[in-house]
Amino acid sequence: MACRSITAADERLACFDRASEAFDVAERQGEVTVVDQAQAQETRTRLFGLNLNGTNLWGRLRQDTPVESIETTLVRASTDARGRAVLVLADGSTWRQVDSERINGRLREGVPVRIRQAAIGSFLLSVDGARSVRARRDQ
């Protein structure tokens, strides 16, 4: 950005050439990553439910509209030692039920699952449109 303030055209161009080369090298070496808005939104969606407090992955993009819910499908369901559901979803995430409510939806592969942000950092998970249960993301 400092190159823009140089008034002599040849010097300004040389400055831009040096800066663009340095940026290109930094990107190739993994020091800088360029993402567009669509890629940033896709990543926020994939990270939905993970506790990333204090992590600013996006710099200025952090002020964008946060992901408030996701909709995907069920791949596999099981129960833990306490009889609570553990769901593996098509987006690769694993969610664990944290309340003792009964999940009324059918837990079979391919049924729709919706997870939405609830109060105070908690999440509500609904299987096949049934009543929601509280859940947390394991991975």
Side-chain angles (χ1 to χ4, degrees):
M1 295 298 124
C3 297
R4 296 190 302 187
S5 64
I6 299 172
T7 55
D10 289 347
E11 291 176 31
R12 187 173 56 252
L13 179 58
C15 180
F16 276 123
D17 286 346
R18 285 190 304 275
S20 68
E21 176 61 25
F23 184 79
D24 187 42
V25 168
E27 186 177 29
R28 279 186 275 138
Q29 293 177 346
E31 296 172 16
V32 174
T33 301
V34 177
V35 297
D36 61 25
Q37 293 287 347
Q39 291 169 313
Q41 186 65 30
E42 178 185 327
T43 301
R44 275 193 294 277
T45 300
R46 280 188 285 119
L47 296 174
F48 180 78
L50 293 176
N51 184 359
L52 299 173
N53 291 338
T55 304
N56 187 353
L57 298 174
W58 307 114
R60 289 179 290 173
L61 294 175
R62 184 159 179 114
Q63 287 76 36
D64 288 352
T65 306
V67 175
E68 295 179 1
S69 68
I70 61 168
E71 294 184 19
T72 185
T73 57
L74 181 64
V75 172
R76 183 175 63 253
S78 60
T79 55
D80 64 13
R82 301 171 103 182
R84 295 179 180 166
V86 179
L87 307 177
V88 177
L89 306 179
D91 66 2
S93 63
T94 301
W95 289 79
R96 182 177 303 272
Q97 181 182 2
V98 295
D99 63 17
S100 56
E101 297 295 320
R102 184 173 181 270
I103 294 181
N104 293 323
R106 292 178 277 168
L107 296 178
R108 68 179 197 287
E109 184 178 353
V111 297
V113 175
R114 180 174 189 263
I115 304 168
R116 64 183 169 91
Q117 185 88 41
I120 313 172
S122 63
F123 297 90
L124 294 173
L125 180 147
S126 174
V127 176
D128 203 16
R131 194 173 96 218
S132 297
V133 297
R134 295 212 175 270
R136 77 166 194 278
R137 183 167 175 178
D138 280 352
Q139 51 178 314

